[in-house]
Amino acid sequence: MKEVIDFIITATTRYNDMYTRLTLAPADGSLLPAIAPGQFVQVAAETPGVFLRRPISINDVSFDRNTIDLLVRKAGRGTEALIALKEGDKVNILLPLGNGFSLEAPAGSRLMLIGGGVGVAPLLYLGRKLKEAGYEPEFLLGARSASDVLEYDDFARIGKVHVSTEDGSMGEKGLVTQHSALDQKIDRIYCCGPAPMMKAVARIAKEGDIECEVSLENMMACGLGACLCCVENTVKGNVCVCTEGPVFNINLLNW
């Protein structure tokens, strides 16, 4: 069930000039709604000239602390306003939106969660839920350099972490699709990141007959399927990513 809730910032973590993590709790103390890994929120950015909410993946959820985490990448005036928020500030959020990742897999499956850039965001909560379900998820994080590898320690507390950097400053040098972790048998892939990266991962999955789900990052304005700006062409025709996704099995996409 979608809700519009005022949240209060309880903590901020600045990773670098581009990325900030916001921890938020309902301002009135109400309990969080049910949230599935892969769902997203629409955040109101209170700044002049910005009228539309900003869609942001849910990075992590703690029902014990009654908080959600959002990993925000600076991309314009709206996101600049969000990363400028301080502890104690309030922000209005519409959530939870969209459909998330599948959590059921055969026992003993090797699950690889692949993320690039801010696309790593939804994989943290996903990995946590898979771990709670009895799986041993692995993560493959891609970035330009070591300074761009986000939330490594958080991922490492959940499962094995593989890293690929374009300049070789951390992990293996090259693209995530070139990492040696992909040379071993994989039963399912979950992926989020830039479209070219996800399409390359999808090709690897199809060639290896690997189940694969991707979280699309199409531009979204309303998050409710009304504006049609996030439409994606699929085997079932054109669908709104914000309502039918953002997570899709690659076999449904015309890639």
Side-chain angles (χ1 to χ4, degrees):
M1 181 178 177
K2 303 176 185 64
E3 299 185 34
V4 179
I5 302 175
D6 284 328
F7 279 79
I8 189 167
I9 308 295
T10 62
T12 64
T13 304
R14 178 68 61 88
Y15 292 111
N16 52 43
D17 291 340
M18 290 294 295
Y19 297 99
T20 296
R21 178 171 171 170
L22 303 176
T23 302
L24 312 96
D28 63 359
S30 59
L31 297 179
L32 292 171
I35 298 172
Q39 289 188 302
F40 67 100
V41 302
Q42 290 279 115
V43 186
E46 301 290 343
T47 190
V50 176
F51 305 102
L52 299 174
R53 292 174 180 265
R54 292 300 185 261
I56 300 177
S57 297
I58 296 172
N59 180 215
D60 204 1
V61 181
S62 172
F63 291 103
D64 291 337
R65 295 190 300 272
N66 203 39
T67 60
I68 64 171
D69 287 276
L70 304 178
L71 183 60
V72 184
R73 178 176 67 89
K74 183 170 67 174
R77 283 186 293 179
T79 49
E80 285 178 359
L82 295 180
I83 65 175
L85 292 170
K86 300 180 293 296
E87 187 173 332
D89 289 343
K90 288 185 180 181
V91 62
N92 187 263
I93 297 179
L94 171 64
L95 81 165
L97 299 171
N99 295 302
F101 293 100
S102 302
L103 296 180
E104 294 185 2
S109 294
R110 186 178 183 224
L111 309 180
M112 185 67 69
L113 285 59
I114 304 176
V118 76
V120 305
L123 303 183
L124 184 60
Y125 183 41
L126 171 62
R128 194 180 306 284
K129 297 301 288 185
L130 289 171
K131 182 77 170 180
E132 290 175 2
Y135 302 102
E136 295 293 333
E138 296 180 43
F139 303 94
L140 174 51
L141 311 180
R144 292 180 179 178
S145 65
S147 62
D148 299 313
V149 177
L150 303 170
E151 304 185 319
Y152 179 91
D153 291 341
D154 296 298
F155 286 110
R157 281 189 282 269
I158 298 172
K160 186 175 182 179
V161 183
H162 311 276
V163 174
S164 178
T165 52
E166 294 179 22
D167 64 0
S169 56
M170 184 175 182
E172 295 185 13
K173 183 176 182 179
L175 304 176
V176 290
T177 51
Q178 300 169 322
H179 199 284
S180 61
L182 300 179
D183 296 337
Q184 304 167 33
K185 182 181 183 298
I186 298 171
D187 298 292
R188 178 176 293 178
I189 291 173
Y190 302 91
C191 183
C192 185
M197 185 205 82
M198 290 194 291
K199 290 181 179 180
V201 170
R203 286 194 294 271
I204 291 173
K206 288 182 178 179
E207 292 170 359
D209 195 26
I210 303 169
E211 281 288 319
C212 181
E213 293 181 344
V214 295
S215 179
L216 302 190
E217 296 185 322
N218 296 31
M219 183 176 293
M220 301 178 193
C222 70
L224 301 171
C227 68
L228 304 181
C229 74
C230 66
V231 167
E232 177 78 16
N233 183 255
T234 73
V235 296
K236 297 181 179 180
N238 292 329
V239 302
C240 290
V241 169
C242 66
T243 54
E244 300 300 317
V247 177
F248 291 89
N249 187 295
I250 60 171
N251 294 325
L252 297 177
L253 300 173
N254 288 318
W255 283 4

